[in-house]
Amino acid sequence: IKIKIKPDNSPVSNGYLRGNDLITKKILEFTPNIPIISEKIVDISIKNKEKIFWLSDPIDGTKKYIAGKDEYTLNAALVINKVTCIGLVGAPKKKKTFLLIRS
């Protein structure tokens, strides 16, 4: 694992960046016209004005991931008008995946 420290002093790993690339490519295959906001890569000084967007956090629990623990998740959600309509959470070390579909 290779780690960089961002300007806000939070870590980002090469695993996070690779996961972000994989998730982004897969989402774009299915919904190429919907923007993707990724938690550690987005510029937080720019306000999101999109009504429909994907929200991605390729590794939630970065410090636990870096420490080799199993308590981190991979997350993606389709947000429409501030409501999560599809949510996917994967816990790879626990071999579990959770899916939310809201109609």
Side-chain angles (χ1 to χ4, degrees):
I1 296 176
K2 294 180 183 173
I3 302 156
K4 292 181 183 177
I5 302 299
K6 295 181 7 179
D8 67 358
N9 288 323
S10 66
V12 65
S13 70
N14 59 330
Y16 181 98
L17 297 173
R18 179 74 176 126
N20 186 69
D21 288 345
L22 292 170
I23 290 170
T24 297
K25 285 177 186 174
K26 191 52 76 176
I27 288 172
L28 289 174
E29 283 180 27
F30 296 105
T31 57
N33 298 320
I34 298 177
I36 302 168
I37 298 171
S38 184
E39 191 246 350
K40 286 212 175 18
I41 297 172
V42 70
D43 182 346
I44 61 171
S45 67
I46 299 172
K47 183 174 174 145
N48 175 38
K49 296 179 182 174
E50 301 292 336
K51 298 286 185 196
I52 301 174
F53 61 93
W54 284 97
L55 183 60
S56 171
D57 188 356
I59 297 181
D60 184 37
T62 300
K63 291 177 183 175
K64 291 179 181 179
Y65 169 77
I66 291 168
K69 300 195 184 287
D70 64 357
E71 296 177 13
Y72 65 90
T73 57
L74 292 71
N75 310 290
L78 178 61
V79 179
I80 300 175
N81 295 321
K82 300 181 183 178
V83 175
T84 299
C85 295
I86 298 172
L88 181 65
V89 177
K93 292 278 189 168
K94 295 184 179 198
K95 298 182 180 179
K96 292 187 178 189
T97 303
F98 303 91
L99 176 65
L100 162 77
I101 300 176
R102 186 174 304 193
S103 56

